[in-house]
């Protein structure tokens, strides 16, 4: 393929101003063969009218409006089902791309290792009007096991559309839908390959709620669904438990479990450090 078509999907809900920035960042890519699909989750802030006008100006923009609110996960699946690109990647409505994002992915795809099933990247974090910081990759290759240990993939990947369409996002989960989707894909074998280009900007400077701020009980529901979806051994279950470090949620770990992790030679220092951090948090549970 000389210049394969790439679909960018954007789920949105009541963020018209931020959505316009997101769409414009895709329009401004230095790669031309792009399809943009926006799925509006029954917004009440004039998003539908904005999309109607924007689609008249932008020929490669398609949009769908849901008749009732059902969450970003269902919105992603609608976009994936209607995508016509050879490849697909996502963008949250409150984030945006730097101009080189799609061209970098297409370039790296042609040089990827044979067993690679999707690409992911580092990102730039916007924490103020003019305050940015770069977040590099800790791991440039991930398989099913390493993703369970630490999710360095994040919420967006670059992948063949048919592969993502076959799996889709699990709409039962109140959060962690992206994490489970990547696990689903890697459970069939292969690796994910990362690139350090910082072309995705995660904006936490605005007043809108982000998914990471959701309530902890939703996290526990998501964890139970993931545990029941895969045949995880004892250590894989501990890997998954460790993901809750960022939320301060956990169960009562016993000291034998902690020692078993510390003495595993195939666990790197980073994982052991996070696991101990989680164990300390659970002491007060």
């Amino acid at each position: 393929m000389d210049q394969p078509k790439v679909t960018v999907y954007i789920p949105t809900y009541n963020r018209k101003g931020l959505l316009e920035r997101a769409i414009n960042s895709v329009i401004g890519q230095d790669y031309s063969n792009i399809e943009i699909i926006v799925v509006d989750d029954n917004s009440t802030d004039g998003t539908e009218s904005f999309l109607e006008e924007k689609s008249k100006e932008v020929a490669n923009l398609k949009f769908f409006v849901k008749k009732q609110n059902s969450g970003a996960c269902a919105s992603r699946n609608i976009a994936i089902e209607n995508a016509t690109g050879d490849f697909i990647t996502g963008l949250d409505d409150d984030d945006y791309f730097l101009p080189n994002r799609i061209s970098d992915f297409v370039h790296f795809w042609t040089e990827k290792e044979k067993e690679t099933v999707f690409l992911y990247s580092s990102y730039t974090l916007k924490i103020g009007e003019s305050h940015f910081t770069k977040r590099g990759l800790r791991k440039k290759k991930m398989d099913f096991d390493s993703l369970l240990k630490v999710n360095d993939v994040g919420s967006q990947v670059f992948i063949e559309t048919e592969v993502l369409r076959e799996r889709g996002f699990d709409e039962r989960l109140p959060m962690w839908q992206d994490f489970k989707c990547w696990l689903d894909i890697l459970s069939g074998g292969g690796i994910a390959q990362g690139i350090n280009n910082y072309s995705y900007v995660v904006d936490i400077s605005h007043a809108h709620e982000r998914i990471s701020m959701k309530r902890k009980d939703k996290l526990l529901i998501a964890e139970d669904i993931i545990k029941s979806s895969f045949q995880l051994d004892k250590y894989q279950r501990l890997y998954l438990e460790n993901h809750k470090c960022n939320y301060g949620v956990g169960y009562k770990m016993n000291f034998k479990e902690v020692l078993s992790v510390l003495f595993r030679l195939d666990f790197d220092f980073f994982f052991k450090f996070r696991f101990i951090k989680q164990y300390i948090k659970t002491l007060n549970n």
Side-chain angles (χ1 to χ4, degrees):
M1 286 181 280
D2 184 30
Q3 194 183 63
K5 186 176 184 180
V6 179
T7 298
V8 178
Y9 62 85
I10 309 174
T12 190
Y13 178 66
N14 282 346
R15 288 175 173 167
K16 183 174 65 172
L18 293 172
L19 173 63
E20 183 172 16
R21 180 185 66 180
I23 293 173
N24 288 339
S25 77
V26 183
I27 296 170
Q29 291 295 293
D30 59 15
Y31 186 90
S32 59
N33 197 9
I34 295 176
E35 169 187 62
I36 307 170
I37 299 182
V38 180
V39 181
D40 176 17
D41 197 14
N42 196 234
S43 296
T44 58
D45 65 346
T47 293
E48 182 176 358
S49 297
F50 161 72
L51 288 171
E52 288 174 351
E53 292 303 313
K54 194 71 173 178
S55 64
K56 295 175 184 177
E57 303 169 9
V58 183
N60 59 334
L61 171 64
K62 297 193 297 189
F63 72 93
F64 299 86
V65 179
K66 291 154 71 176
K67 293 184 178 180
Q68 59 183 8
N69 184 273
S70 57
C73 190
S75 297
R76 294 188 191 107
N77 286 336
I78 290 171
I80 294 164
E81 185 61 33
N82 288 278
T84 62
D86 303 292
F87 297 93
I88 191 167
T89 189
L91 173 61
D92 288 343
D93 59 0
D94 54 343
D95 299 331
Y96 58 95
F97 289 168
L98 297 183
N100 58 307
R101 182 161 180 81
I102 301 301
S103 60
D104 278 3
F105 271 141
V106 173
H107 170 73
F108 277 97
W109 186 267
T110 63
E111 299 184 347
K112 70 179 178 64
E113 297 181 20
K114 185 178 180 180
E115 63 269 29
T116 300
V117 289
F118 63 79
L119 301 177
Y120 59 100
S121 78
S122 53
Y123 63 94
T124 299
L125 187 67
K126 182 181 180 183
I127 56 180
E129 187 60 35
S130 58
H131 190 182
F132 298 83
T133 184
K134 290 183 176 181
R135 297 294 175 90
L137 299 177
R138 292 165 295 199
K139 290 183 177 293
K140 289 191 176 182
K141 292 181 185 179
M142 306 203 83
D143 57 14
F144 181 84
D145 243 34
S146 57
L147 181 59
L148 273 174
K149 288 180 182 178
V150 55
N151 182 10
D152 217 21
V153 171
S155 59
Q156 311 295 354
V157 304
F158 182 85
I159 189 171
E160 291 175 302
T161 302
E162 286 305 316
V163 175
L164 186 56
R165 184 177 288 138
E166 180 183 345
R167 297 290 183 171
F169 291 91
D170 192 333
E171 297 179 23
R172 297 175 299 162
L173 278 77
M175 59 189 299
W176 274 7
Q177 301 99 332
D178 46 8
F179 178 46
K180 181 178 182 293
C181 186
W182 316 150
L183 287 171
D184 279 334
I185 294 168
L186 293 177
S187 67
I191 63 168
Q193 191 170 337
I195 60 174
N196 261 322
N197 69 350
Y198 306 99
S199 59
Y200 190 98
V201 181
V202 176
D203 185 359
I204 61 171
S205 67
H206 60 80
H208 294 274
E209 181 187 38
R210 292 191 66 89
I211 292 175
S212 59
M213 299 166 66
K214 295 292 185 182
R215 292 185 305 165
K216 295 174 182 177
D217 58 344
K218 293 186 176 182
L219 175 65
L220 297 176
I221 293 171
E223 181 193 28
D224 286 342
I225 293 173
I226 290 175
K227 282 182 176 178
S228 66
S229 299
F230 304 101
Q231 292 184 340
L232 304 180
D233 62 28
K234 170 187 173 182
Y235 287 103
Q236 288 174 325
R237 285 175 170 264
L238 289 175
Y239 302 160
L240 184 60
E241 188 66 31
N242 193 53
H243 276 278
K244 295 190 295 188
C245 282
N246 292 334
Y247 303 86
V249 184
Y251 65 94
K252 286 281 189 182
M253 295 182 189
N254 64 60
F255 194 60
K256 284 185 178 180
E257 288 178 331
V258 177
L259 287 177
S260 69
V261 168
L262 292 180
F263 285 102
R264 280 287 293 256
L265 297 179
D266 57 330
F267 288 0
D268 59 26
F269 174 79
F270 176 76
F271 176 77
K272 291 179 180 180
F273 174 78
R274 285 174 60 88
F275 190 86
I276 289 297
K277 180 180 175 183
Q278 171 70 348
Y279 170 67
I280 292 172
K281 288 180 179 178
T282 65
L283 292 178
N284 294 321
N285 286 350

